Amino acid sequence: MENMAYTPRGTLTPNRSLADLTWLRVGGPADWFFQPADAEDLAAFLAALPAEVPVFPMGVGSNLIVRDGGIRAVVIRLGRGFNAIEISGDTVTAGAAALDAHVARKAAEAGLDLTFLRTIPGSIGGAVRMNAGCYGAYVADCLVSAEVVLRTGQRLTLTATDLRFAYRSSVLPEGAVLVSATFRAAQGAPDALAARMEDQLAKRDASQPTKERSAGSTFRNPSGASSTGRADDVHDLKAWKVIDNAGMRGARIGGAQMSEMHSNFMINAGGATAQDLESLGEEVRKKVLQTQGISLEWEIMRVGEY
C-alpha cells in the first residue's frame, strides 16, 4: 500500500480495530481502513489499488459480526462526503452513508412516503444491499437506481433490475461500493407521515430490545417476508416463533444472548466475543432444525477470520 501511485485525500489507516464501529461491539482489525473524501477519491483509490487486494464496504455496522481475527482486506467506510439527501419532485436521492431514519424524516417533511425506512437501523448503502424492508414495504418497491464505484474504479449506474432484488438480498458486482441511491416515493401529508413514523417507532420500542447492543434481526423469516404489522399477519413462520418453539429465547453462550424481549434479536449482554455470538447463532440454528426441520438463514452478515 505504501507504494501506491495514488495518494488519497481521505483517511487510510493500517490495522484498525473494527469492534467500536459495529453495533455489537465485537471483532478484530482490518488490515487497512479507508474513509474516502468523496466519490472521486474513492474511484481513484480503487483504480490504483493492486487488483489482488480485496475490499469490503462497511456501513454503520448495524447488521454485522466482524470475527475476532479481523478482516484481511481494505475496509471502506463512507462518511460525511456521502450523506447528502436531495429531493426533486417525487424522487429522493441519498448518499450511501445517509442514515435510513434521516432519509425517511427528510422525505416526510417534503410530503414523500419512505416511512418504512424510519425504523431500519442502518445507512442507505446497507439498506439497498440488503433490500431492507418492514411493514410489508421494501427498498425494491421504490428504488429507481443506485450509483456504484466498481472495484476497477469505474463509476456505474445500476437499475433495480440490475440489482436482482430478493428477500433481504441484492446482487452487486464483487468489490463494488454503493455511493448513492435514488428512490421514487408516493405522496402523503407531512403530518400524517410523521404520525405514522411515531407510531412505528413506539411499536418497535415496545417489542424490540432497542436499548441493548444488538444487530437487528439475527435470522431471516423462514417464510421469506417481513412482518407487515397488520392484525391479519400470520405468525407461524416468523423467525422469533420457531426460535421460541425450540426453547431458545434467552439462551446464552458467554456474553452472547438471544434477547428475552424478542428472541430473534441477539445481544451482547456484556463482554461477548464474535465467537460467542456466532456460536450461539449456530446453536439456535441447530435446535430449530432438530425440533422443526427448518433451516434458519442468518440475516446478520458474518465476515473476517476466526
Side-chain angles (χ1 to χ4, degrees):
M1 299 286 277
E2 285 77 5
N3 54 11
M4 239 174 72
Y6 175 71
T7 304
R9 286 178 285 117
T11 313
L12 182 62
T13 313
N15 208 35
R16 165 71 157 90
S17 170
L18 299 174
D20 63 319
L21 299 177
T22 72
W23 284 31
L24 282 164
R25 294 291 186 267
V26 296
D31 284 355
W32 292 91
F33 184 73
F34 181 46
Q35 296 159 283
D38 50 34
E40 288 71 30
D41 189 36
L42 172 62
F45 174 82
L46 288 174
L49 190 66
E52 68 275 6
V53 179
V55 302
F56 177 73
M58 179 178 173
V60 291
S62 57
N63 187 44
L64 189 65
I65 291 173
V66 176
R67 294 184 177 119
D68 300 309
I71 303 181
R72 306 288 76 79
V74 178
V75 170
I76 295 173
R77 194 172 200 245
L78 308 183
R80 276 193 292 273
F82 297 87
N83 62 8
I85 301 168
E86 287 159 27
I87 294 172
S88 170
D90 64 349
T91 65
V92 179
T93 299
L99 295 178
D100 301 337
H102 196 178
V103 173
R105 284 203 306 267
K106 286 281 273 223
E109 285 164 15
L112 294 175
D113 183 357
L114 291 175
T115 52
F116 78 96
L117 286 170
R118 179 65 186 88
T119 57
I120 295 173
S123 60
I124 288 296
V128 172
R129 175 81 187 76
M130 289 292 293
N131 187 20
C134 58
Y135 306 113
Y138 297 89
V139 162
D141 303 327
C142 54
L143 186 98
V144 178
S145 62
E147 299 291 321
V148 301
V149 178
L150 297 179
R151 178 61 186 80
T152 57
Q154 182 192 351
R155 295 179 70 170
L156 198 62
T157 301
L158 300 176
T159 64
T161 311
D162 295 330
L163 287 161
R164 306 222 296 273
F165 285 121
Y167 176 60
R168 292 287 183 268
S169 73
S170 68
V171 177
L172 273 176
E174 184 66 38
V177 183
L178 278 155
V179 291
S180 77
T182 299
F183 304 94
R184 181 162 284 117
Q187 294 183 325
D191 51 352
L193 296 174
R196 185 190 306 167
M197 292 190 294
E198 283 308 307
D199 184 47
Q200 288 172 357
L201 278 179
K203 278 204 179 93
R204 180 192 72 177
D205 292 347
S207 65
Q208 296 176 9
T210 49
K211 305 287 181 280
E212 306 276 2
R213 285 182 183 169
S214 90
S217 299
T218 306
F219 301 106
R220 301 172 181 192
N221 285 326
S223 55
S226 293
S227 299
T228 61
R230 290 197 304 266
D232 61 354
D233 197 359
V234 190
H235 281 291
D236 23 346
L237 263 188
K238 296 288 186 276
W240 70 264
K241 187 78 170 72
V242 298
I243 293 168
D244 277 6
N245 293 350
M248 294 301 280
R249 181 181 289 257
R252 273 188 92 127
I253 290 180
Q257 182 180 18
M258 302 312 291
S259 168
E260 293 279 5
M261 186 178 189
H262 189 312
S263 54
N264 192 30
F265 277 63
M266 181 188 281
I267 59 175
N268 180 347
T273 61
Q275 183 68 58
D276 290 343
L277 291 158
E278 200 166 1
S279 299
L280 177 60
E282 288 303 328
E283 188 61 25
V284 169
R285 292 185 68 234
K286 192 172 96 185
K287 285 285 197 307
V288 168
L289 187 61
Q290 280 171 355
T291 56
Q292 293 148 89
I294 291 168
S295 186
L296 284 179
E297 283 181 53
W298 282 89
E299 185 165 318
I300 297 175
M301 259 182 107
R302 288 114 36 246
V303 297
E305 301 190 347
Y306 292 105

